Amino acid sequence: MSALLLAAAVATTAVSDLPQDYTHVMPLSVNGKPSVVQLQLPRDAYLNARSASLNDLRVFDAHGVPQPFALRQPDAASSTTHRALPVRIFPLMAERADAPLAGLEVSTATDGRVLSVRLPAPQGTAPAGLAQERLAGLVLDLRQEGSQEPPQVDALHFTLPPGRTTYTGQVWLEASDDLKHWDAIGVAELSWLANASDETLANDKLEFPARPMRYARLSWRSGEPLPFAAISAQSPVHRPAAAPTESLLLPAQPGRDPRDLQYSKPAGVTPLGVGLQVESGNMVLPAMLGSYVEVRRTGQFRFEPAVRTTFYRLEQDGKTRLSGDIAVPAWIGERWVLRFDQPPPVKPALRISWEPATLVFVAGGTPPYTLAVGRDKAAPAARDISEVAPGFTPAELRTLERATAGAAQEQLAALANAAKRASADNSAAQKRLMILWGVLVLGVAVVAGMVWRLLRQAGTGNT
């Protein structure tokens, strides 16, 4: 009997999971026929979600069949730029342009800076000044002033001497830390071609895998050795790419205390940072951010602080100084309170920012697809990424075909149903409370009856 009652209760509490059960839907566009698609979760999804964990998020196909999906934070990407570093050039002169460049005679300063460098004179040659010397190679000092460590370099950029517009030559590059031991690094065919209109086509770089480089040596395997006007070292600079962020301004509402302002945060947004949007004027506003907590015994509310900070906006010397964002603990919930040291002269909006997740879903079923959101007490449906894109590497996940989401469409029927469910939940809660009180009253009556009987029996026995 109890098993039947339990089954009946489960059957009556079973709910559907269809697009029309959600307050907002967004059409998704997918190019081609990929099996797995990614989507940066749109702003409307966060603003209309009913769960901080986005439990009420779904992807449906054209027939309302849920599609497997996962939520993941984008991988930290980086971009690489280059900065040009000056290079000091020392020509190596010899009787022949193809003279070997071994056994350099080098003079350096105490800090390692090259002062002069030359090739040793071969035995039996004419006295210095009598023999005509030619350029045989170049020694480069890449050390940067004020730095003891060699710079990281992945290319050399060459500039032709003034008046020279064409050139072709094969250049070999070697690197050294002590000007004695040299390692081969790379080779490049440098060329500059100019037409009658003075338009130039140039291959003016020698590229190689990035490495620290203190000294370098250039030699020619073909073409005329050339005293370049300038050579710069290209040093890679890696910068983390800025993650995509969304922001929202929360309007201020009066609080329970004259010093307080209240703000309501969308349930689906978990902010990375919070800042006060002070538009103009000079202001310094020390404040505590927290929430109201109900005191059960009295039914009153007290302010529970979470973070103390100082918001400010100051204009001085033509510059505007603004306070940055602060982190907010999750426990303060969705209604926030700013308590200032003094009643604030203005009611500024509170700025919240967050990092949108990437939704990865299986493009199965029948297109087109729909993103649905907005349902109270929805069970979580997101899966682990290994269950949605098994075997995909992080690099492959980053290059998945991207879907685009249309504007959110409000479903009034779902909103009405949500209101009915909330009303039904309240009615059910009230009924349960009435039943509980009835049981308690009945229990008290039973106990009172038992006591009365015992007392009556005791009085009868005494007589």
Side-chain angles (χ1 to χ4, degrees):
M1 184 68 177
S2 61
L4 291 175
L5 290 174
L6 180 61
V10 171
T12 56
T13 57
V15 294
S16 65
D17 195 19
L18 298 171
Q20 55 265 32
D21 297 323
Y22 294 82
T23 62
H24 293 79
V25 292
M26 286 155 272
L28 300 181
S29 299
V30 179
N31 295 325
K33 296 182 178 180
S35 58
V36 182
V37 183
Q38 65 176 325
L39 169 73
Q40 179 179 307
L41 207 56
R43 177 189 181 91
D44 285 341
Y46 285 95
L47 299 186
N48 296 296
R50 302 293 182 88
S51 164
S53 302
L54 302 177
N55 291 339
D56 55 329
L57 196 68
R58 298 290 188 273
V59 178
F60 294 103
D61 75 349
H63 299 302
V65 178
Q67 303 299 298
F69 72 91
L71 291 174
R72 61 191 299 266
Q73 292 302 320
D75 295 332
S78 62
S79 60
T80 301
T81 58
H82 287 82
R83 61 189 181 104
L85 303 178
V87 172
R88 299 175 66 231
I89 305 173
F90 295 86
L92 296 175
M93 308 302 293
E95 291 183 5
R96 305 192 328 269
D98 59 350
L101 305 183
L104 299 178
E105 297 178 356
V106 181
S107 173
T108 60
T110 55
D111 61 356
R113 179 166 45 91
V114 175
L115 299 177
S116 65
V117 59
R118 61 187 296 272
L119 289 170
Q123 294 183 353
T125 59
L130 297 181
Q132 184 178 6
E133 292 187 330
R134 300 179 180 180
L135 180 66
L138 299 173
V139 169
L140 311 180
D141 185 354
L142 288 81
R143 298 174 69 260
Q144 300 300 301
E145 186 176 355
S147 176
Q148 297 297 323
E149 297 298 323
Q152 198 80 4
V153 178
D154 64 1
L156 295 178
H157 179 263
F158 300 84
T159 301
L160 287 178
R164 188 79 180 252
T165 58
T166 61
Y167 175 77
T168 300
Q170 189 181 75
V171 177
W172 286 62
L173 175 67
E174 299 169 283
S176 174
D177 287 331
D178 57 7
L179 294 169
K180 296 179 181 178
H181 304 89
W182 298 87
D183 298 322
I185 299 300
V187 60
E189 194 79 27
L190 302 179
S191 62
W192 287 261
L193 301 175
N195 59 19
S197 301
D198 291 332
E199 296 174 335
T200 302
L201 180 65
N203 180 26
D204 54 5
K205 278 188 179 181
L206 193 164
E207 299 177 323
F208 45 88
R211 57 161 291 160
M213 187 175 294
R214 182 172 278 112
Y215 307 108
R217 184 170 65 183
L218 291 171
S219 59
W220 277 259
R221 292 299 181 267
S222 66
E224 169 197 1
L226 190 67
F228 294 104
I231 301 175
S232 64
Q234 303 296 302
S235 180
V237 179
H238 304 286
R239 293 187 177 90
T245 57
E246 292 278 7
S247 62
L248 178 69
L249 293 180
L250 306 179
Q253 299 294 332
R256 297 176 179 272
D257 186 284
R259 298 171 295 169
D260 296 351
L261 292 177
Q262 292 190 82
Y263 302 88
S264 294
K265 174 188 73 69
V269 175
T270 301
L272 292 176
V274 175
L276 204 62
Q277 191 79 4
V278 181
E279 298 292 351
S280 62
N282 293 319
M283 294 187 188
V284 176
L285 301 171
M288 292 183 291
L289 180 65
S291 61
Y292 291 133
V293 177
E294 186 177 5
V295 181
R296 293 185 179 180
R297 294 180 179 178
T298 63
Q300 301 296 316
F301 289 85
R302 62 180 174 83
F303 174 69
E304 184 72 25
V307 180
R308 181 169 181 85
T309 188
T310 298
F311 299 106
Y312 59 88
R313 184 185 189 277
L314 298 172
E315 295 182 1
Q316 188 169 355
D317 299 331
K319 297 180 179 179
T320 302
R321 302 172 185 266
L322 297 172
S323 54
D325 290 356
I326 61 171
V328 178
W331 62 262
I332 65 174
E334 297 170 14
R335 293 191 64 83
W336 298 348
V337 178
L338 264 182
R339 172 160 291 182
F340 300 90
D341 291 355
Q342 300 291 334
V346 294
K347 295 183 178 180
L350 197 65
R351 182 184 61 256
I352 62 174
S353 59
W354 70 94
E355 197 173 290
T358 297
L359 183 143
V360 179
F361 70 95
V362 176
T366 304
Y369 304 99
T370 300
L371 181 67
V373 68
R375 184 171 185 173
D376 291 319
K377 300 179 181 179
R383 305 185 182 186
D384 188 86
I385 189 65
S386 62
E387 299 178 5
V388 176
F392 281 65
T393 65
E396 290 173 325
L397 290 174
R398 286 193 294 269
T399 57
L400 287 175
E401 181 70 32
R402 290 188 175 273
T404 56
Q409 302 169 9
E410 192 175 59
Q411 302 195 115
L412 298 179
L415 287 169
N417 291 336
K420 289 180 181 178
R421 283 195 298 268
S423 177
D425 289 343
N426 290 335
S427 298
Q430 291 177 358
K431 288 180 180 179
R432 287 193 296 270
L433 185 60
M434 292 176 63
I435 292 172
L436 178 60
W437 277 109
V439 171
L440 289 175
V441 170
L442 180 61
V444 171
V446 170
V447 172
M450 293 174 63
V451 171
W452 181 78
R453 286 182 181 181
L454 290 174
L455 293 174
R456 185 177 179 186
Q457 290 174 3
T460 304
N462 291 333
T463 57

